[in-house]
Amino acid sequence: MNDHPGLTLATFAAQLDFGSIPPAVVERTVNLYVDWLGSALAGKGARPVETIARFARQAAGAAANNGPCEVLIDRSRTTPYFAAMVNGAASHFAEQDDVHNGSVFHPATVVFPVALALAQATRASGRDLIVAAVAGYEVGIRIGEFMGRSHYKVFHTTGTVGTIAAAATAGRLLGLSPVQMLDAFGSAGTQASGLWEFLRDAADSKQLHTAMAAANGLMAAQLAADGFKGATHILDGAQGMAAGMSSDADPARLVDRLGSRWATVETSFKYHAACRHTHPAADALLAVVQAHRLAPRDIAKVVAHVHQGAIDVLGPVVMPRTVHQAKFNMGTVLGLVAHHGYAGVTEFEQGFDADAVVAFRDNVTMAFDAEVDAAYPARWIGKVTVTTTDGRVFNGRVDEPKGDPGNTLSRDEIATKLHRLAAFSGAATEGEAARLLGNAWQIAGQAQVGLVFDNAHAQADSTVSA
Amino acid sequence: MNDHPGLTLATFAAQLDFGSIPPAVVERTVNLYVDWLGSALAGKGARPVETIARFARQAAGAAANNGPCEVLIDRSRTTPYFAAMVNGAASHFAEQDDVHNGSVFHPATVVFPVALALAQATRASGRDLIVAAVAGYEVGIRIGEFMGRSHYKVFHTTGTVGTIAAAATAGRLLGLSPVQMLDAFGSAGTQASGLWEFLRDAADSKQLHTAMAAANGLMAAQLAADGFKGATHILDGAQGMAAGMSSDADPARLVDRLGSRWATVETSFKYHAACRHTHPAADALLAVVQAHRLAPRDIAKVVAHVHQGAIDVLGPVVMPRTVHQAKFNMGTVLGLVAHHGYAGVTEFEQGFDADAVVAFRDNVTMAFDAEVDAAYPARWIGKVTVTTTDGRVFNGRVDEPKGDPGNTLSRDEIATKLHRLAAFSGAATEGEAARLLGNAWQIAGQAQVGLVFDNAHAQADSTVSA
């Protein structure tokens, strides 16, 4: 087979080994894994997530809960396919899972559900899980960049491109050859789907997108391992993904510095529990509020200076009716930040529609900013103009929102975030979360990836606390 | 909720009842169902189909084969989700399943897997199955027409639009309300996928497309029944299907004469076992060959005058390497017709790469024809120019290829086709096929849809033949 960018990328994913990944990349990947666990736990009890979980139990049939793979929201056990589906649904719900700026792609929520499920099913080592996850991140980020900004205008990149990231992760754990990996890309890419239209109605599709990206990607890799052929040019062919769903695709991005540029570590942690497009302005507002000691009632209006992508995604959400929709409303996020200094899951749940937040929201507008737009998506600059009730005008700016690679979260901050998310959803007690964390930080050294929730310990704990 | 074309269509699908469907439409739907059974049986033993079947067994877990729904290729039993998936994969393999010309959409292979599986699971009546199938055909055909010719250039409409057709069928059997049906459309449409790129490599994606259109559509309806919300404007919204995947969408087509125009009966049966784009020319060649009593060796060259869509789909296949790819090669199809008078599954399997057929193939070219193209896709006109070795030139023409609504197959011809397909794949003995047919023709009168293969009878039969 002649070499081409898709094959080069598939070969990289198939042949990636632990020794070739720099230690700093491994360490960051562990952090991303632990951060993902928190997001997966946060999905417990969320209606769309629980609905997908019920569907999965029904579709698998009576003996579903006998598989080797853990469903994190309820600690049930099932097959890799359904574990990937439900954990994929769960980990995108709180809007706290990670994001890669340049590709506007959320890798963790499609990569780790597959990595964990297949590692548990195949008794893989922690190193194998890390290598497979890095393969998924590197592949997904580059394909996201390849598909370009035109794709993201209509398509939810995490749903579309995420399917191939999931396939790369699954394919690496299954030990696919380069040609089989390309087959997996083909079967994944031809299933790539996910439209932004749902956001206008506060519909539940976002959970469906990540659930099925994970499940379909895993399916694509399992089929490839069994000889199922995929299109070799699914990415750049005349009737492939870019031809159908992009007008500015750049094939050079697919193989950009493979093996020397580690896109995985460019991934940002999400500090606020809202759409990432709101974070730069939120941090810029926080800087103004703190520097000038402004109370919310001191602020007459805020203009958030944003890139076009933020207007495309957030623009349709004018009057949020649900918590989830509120996470896509700039005014609500800035209102929560002005009032609480933070827009976390608890702040949203308890206050997105509080009178004071709604009043603040109505004083927030977005304005297209040429500098911010030109820097995007490589850099997500935050700029706000705040006008106070007594007529003062302050300009705030951040060049790297909290959680970005140059302003990353510490392990303590990640642990705190997981504790908050687990407590919020009730997916784990504080003791369980602490034990789970102790185990998860050691993942790269484990000879065999076990259960996230160690039942023996959990039972011992409940005995103690009884 | 304000009325709009998508809601009108969803309401139609949700409220369709048996009494409002004209008897001739019911009768034709029964014929389409029986025709589909033949195609589903034909998939037995086909590598891509069996690979998906193995995946389904693995994904469902150990106790998969305990469900209420029949997998037709091996008579195993599973849940509706996996039965829809495997029967959907199976029934598009032989390229003999039905097609609606105007929408270039193959309804049966995504509608009937869902209709049968859910009817078996819910103990629905034959009338319920027929109503659900008609809902799927009417919805899918109109959405296919809505998405337009631009969509079909890159996307496999049966995979994309088929997901919503499957959701309509499932939704009707689950008794969804109009608003729930619209939710199902939303969750189905945001999963719509399927790219033509696979055809260039003779990859296996076509089976994946129909398998997942059926399974995802069923999933969308089951989720909707459980309260999962979908985008209300998934079809025509600013970030919906047409926005992302069409440049000539026409919303008026979504509601074109709902309840008075029955698109179901516009569906064509496929007589030849090849891509439908080859059929008009095949029948036109057959007319010339028969009128002038030409042997294959008398023919020096053939020009097939075709619409642009035929060139788009068939053009990439120059040197077919597999039976499946050969079904998308105009020269091979015309070669088989010239030699055997028919291009059926057996003719392909035994002769697609025979020297004489390959030699004939290399004397066939396609040429764009303005009249054929202008009539397409409403009418699929066949025109060929045949030049004989002794210099005569004959023009052949058919206005309705065999199997089209004005030139439809009789029940005897459908039965003969099923017998051929079952014998070809070995999915049923002649006696089993005859019994299955006797039962299937009566489907509309059955109080409860049972198994296609009646085990008690089958066992009795094997005793007799032993």
Side-chain angles (χ1 to χ4, degrees), chain B residues 16-18 21 115 118-119 122-135 169 172-174 443-449:
Chain B
L16 184 65
D17 64 43
F18 190 81
I21 305 173
L118 268 187
T122 64
R123 302 170 187 275
S125 70
R127 286 186 171 199
D128 291 338
L129 181 148
I130 295 295
V131 171
V134 172
T169 297
R172 185 65 193 81
L173 273 164
L174 293 172
I443 184 87
Q446 291 169 359
Q448 188 178 314
V449 173

Side-chain angles (χ1 to χ4, degrees), chain A residues 33-34 36-38 40-41 68-73 75-77 87 112-113 115-117 119-120 129 418 427-428 431-441 443 446 448-458:
Chain A
Y33 167 67
V34 176
W36 169 75
L37 287 173
L41 295 174
C69 309
E70 210 171 2
V71 176
L72 293 173
I73 54 170
R75 310 182 197 182
S76 64
R77 307 275 288 278
N87 290 333
F112 284 115
L116 180 64
Q120 290 178 331
L129 182 148
L418 184 143
E432 288 169 339
R435 238 187 347 266
L436 174 161
L437 277 165
N439 188 43
W441 292 125
I443 185 85
Q446 291 169 358
Q448 188 178 312
V449 173
L451 295 174
V452 171
F453 286 103
D454 183 326
N455 292 325
H457 285 191

Side-chain angles (χ1 to χ4, degrees), chain A residues 47 54-55 59-60 63 79 81 153 190-191 193-195 197 200-201 204 209 222 226-229 231-232 238-239, chain B residues 47 54-55 59-60 63 79 81 153 190 193-195 197 200-201 204 209 222 226-229 231-232 238-239:
Chain A
R47 184 184 49 73
R54 278 194 296 279
F55 167 80
T79 60
Y81 182 66
K153 276 182 177 290
T190 204
Q191 293 190 75
S193 63
L195 294 158
E197 182 63 28
R200 243 166 271 273
D201 305 312
D204 299 324
H209 295 171
Q222 289 187 325
D226 196 18
F228 199 88
K229 303 302 292 175
T232 56
Q239 291 167 305
Chain B
R47 185 184 48 73
R54 276 194 297 279
F55 168 80
T79 61
Y81 183 65
K153 276 182 175 293
T190 205
S193 64
L195 294 158
E197 182 62 28
R200 243 166 269 274
D201 305 312
D204 300 324
H209 294 170
Q222 289 187 325
D226 196 18
F228 198 88
K229 304 302 292 176
T232 56
Q239 291 167 305

Side-chain angles (χ1 to χ4, degrees), chain A residues 239, chain B residues 101 103-104 148-155 157 196 199-200 275-278 280 304-317 328 330 366-370 372-377 379-381:
Chain A
Q239 291 167 305
Chain B
N101 289 343
S103 53
V104 205
R149 292 175 69 164
S150 65
H151 180 66
Y152 186 74
K153 276 182 175 293
V154 178
F155 292 93
T157 302
W196 279 120
L199 208 55
R200 243 166 269 274
C275 175
R276 185 68 179 173
H277 291 297
T278 65
H305 306 281
V306 298
H307 51 283
Q308 186 60 43
I311 294 171
D312 291 343
V313 173
L314 307 173
V317 185
F328 289 81
M330 180 66 89
M366 289 190 289
F368 175 84
D369 185 276
V372 173
D373 193 67
Y376 174 89
R379 293 184 303 126
W380 294 45
I381 300 170

Side-chain angles (χ1 to χ4, degrees), chain B residues 238-255:
Chain B
Q239 291 167 305
M241 278 180 73
M245 301 188 275
S246 172
S247 58
D248 63 341
D250 176 5
R253 304 305 300 268
L254 290 171
V255 293

